[in-house]
């Protein structure tokens, strides 16, 4: 059976997350239904990351097997037709080796978080940013972030219900910058714990407001205590931006260049 990979973008606002659940409509469910309508096959695509309720993606990736061979362009266009009106778009489809797995073949994942730092509420991006109406210091946030990069026990910065076998992860990159009224946090790692990025952002925001010192997020990390974490950042500002794969599997999804040194 041929195996296919699709790169996907979606607005996570109306979904309960990536994974099919009993309490609402999911991105995985929307794709499964579109595949059923297009191919007549009951297929559940496997994703690179289980984004939570309200989290968006510009570079999610999924794989599935079909019983017959499809032209990648026809597969992409057919899925996009049947996905309407859900806010999900297949950016690319390609046939890949049968050992490709969207989750386990990934070599890195890149997330972006957007904080809108102004008094006025957003009219156009209300479901795509975290509105913080008081001034925040992006430089202080970035200083604090650098002490969190590396191989650590991230117990403090993961959900209590996280199902990962170990809290130890390697955070390859965590950078904060200001672009006008927008404060952007970018995080890269091979894999992340449940709620890890939102937990980190929530704590760094306290540094930006001057409520925490730049050293405190690292002290909280070393405590290995969830109670030391700042409040969880809302899902609306978070995007799964890109997933990296070997060239044999089609290379990275999304549009960013993970090789750049800084933001």
């Amino acid at each position: 059976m041929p195996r296919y990979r699709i790169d996907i973008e979606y607005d996570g606002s109306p979904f309960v997350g990536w994974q099919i659940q009993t309490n609402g409509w999911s991105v995985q469910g929307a794709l499964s239904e579109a595949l059923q309508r297009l191919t007549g096959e009951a297929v559940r695509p496997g994703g690179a990351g289980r984004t939570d309720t309200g989290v968006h993606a510009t570079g999610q990736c999924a794989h599935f097997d079909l019983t017959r061979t499809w032209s990648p362009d026809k597969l992409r266009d057919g899925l996009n037709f049947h996905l309407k009106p859900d806010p999900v778009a297949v950016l690319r489809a390609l046939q890949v080796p049968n050992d490709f797995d969207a989750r386990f073949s990934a070599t890195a994942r890149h997330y972006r978080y957007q904080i809108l730092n102004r008094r006025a509420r957003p009219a156009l991006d209300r479901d795509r940013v975290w509105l913080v109406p008081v001034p925040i210091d992006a430089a202080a946030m970035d200083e604090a972030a650098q002490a969190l990069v590396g191989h650590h026990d991230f117990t403090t910065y993961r959900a209590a219900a996280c199902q990962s076998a170990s809290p130890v992860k390697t955070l390859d990159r965590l950078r904060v910058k200001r672009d006008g009224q927008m404060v952007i946090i970018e995080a890269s790692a091979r894999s992340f714990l449940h709620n890890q990025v939102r937990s980190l952002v929530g704590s760094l925001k306290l540094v930006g407001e001057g409520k925490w010192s730049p050293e405190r997020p690292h002290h909280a990390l070393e405590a290995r205590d969830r109670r030391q974490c700042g409040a969880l950042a809302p899902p609306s500002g978070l995007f799964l931006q890109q997933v990296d794969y070997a060239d044999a599997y089609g290379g990275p999804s999304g549009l960013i260049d993970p090789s750049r040194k800084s933001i």
Side-chain angles (χ1 to χ4, degrees):
M1 296 175 66
R3 176 160 294 189
Y4 294 91
R5 163 186 163 175
I6 53 173
D7 295 349
I8 317 146
E9 70 175 21
Y10 51 84
D11 178 345
S13 304
F15 297 108
V16 295
W18 163 263
Q19 192 172 14
I20 290 175
Q21 301 177 52
T22 58
N23 63 333
W25 194 224
S26 68
V27 181
Q28 188 182 43
L31 286 166
S32 296
E33 187 171 294
L35 280 163
Q36 174 77 48
R37 290 175 177 174
L38 177 64
T39 69
E41 299 184 44
V43 178
R44 181 177 291 193
R50 296 178 180 179
T51 54
D52 290 335
T53 301
V55 174
H56 316 293
T58 57
Q60 174 70 283
C61 184
H63 77 274
F64 49 85
D65 298 332
L66 296 174
T67 57
R68 74 176 181 87
T69 301
W70 282 76
S71 157
D73 287 349
K74 288 184 177 180
L75 184 61
R76 177 200 61 213
D77 294 346
L79 285 173
N80 283 332
F81 175 81
H82 289 290
L83 281 164
K84 295 181 293 187
D86 286 319
V88 183
V90 177
L91 306 177
R92 177 173 68 150
L94 64 159
Q95 189 171 344
V96 289
N98 284 72
D99 64 349
F100 173 77
D101 185 288
R103 179 183 176 190
F104 295 109
S105 299
T107 58
R109 293 167 174 83
H110 306 273
Y111 283 89
R112 173 187 175 103
Y113 197 97
Q114 300 183 154
I115 296 175
L116 181 61
N117 189 210
R118 72 183 192 193
R119 293 289 298 174
R121 62 181 176 82
L124 300 178
D125 291 326
R126 61 186 180 277
D127 294 321
R128 296 175 180 85
V129 296
W130 181 11
L131 176 65
V132 176
V134 299
I136 55 176
D137 185 342
M141 293 169 68
D142 189 59
E143 178 187 345
Q146 301 323 299
L148 303 173
V149 174
H151 189 69
H152 304 291
D153 181 329
F154 283 97
T155 294
T156 300
Y157 297 108
R158 75 164 176 169
C162 180
Q163 298 179 356
S164 178
S166 171
V168 177
K169 294 289 181 182
T170 300
L171 184 60
D172 296 317
R173 186 169 178 268
L174 184 64
R175 298 306 305 264
V176 184
K177 75 166 184 179
R178 176 176 288 277
D179 184 4
Q181 296 178 328
M182 198 76 75
V183 174
I184 300 164
I185 302 99
E186 293 188 343
S188 299
R190 181 161 189 165
S191 61
F192 288 88
L193 299 164
H194 187 199
N195 285 164
Q196 184 178 355
V197 176
R198 290 169 60 197
S199 296
L200 292 167
V201 171
S203 295
L204 292 175
K205 177 250 193 184
L206 294 174
V207 174
E209 291 177 322
K211 296 178 179 178
W212 280 19
S213 70
E215 295 76 29
R216 184 165 171 181
H218 186 254
H219 295 328
L221 173 76
E222 292 185 321
R224 300 180 179 88
D225 182 351
R226 179 67 180 170
R227 293 170 297 180
Q228 299 297 313
C229 183
L232 190 67
S236 56
L238 184 59
F239 294 75
L240 174 55
Q241 196 171 15
Q242 178 174 299
V243 185
D244 291 353
Y245 299 99
D247 289 344
Y249 297 136
S253 67
L255 301 174
I256 71 168
D257 176 12
S259 67
R260 68 198 190 284
K261 299 294 184 181
S262 62
I263 61 173

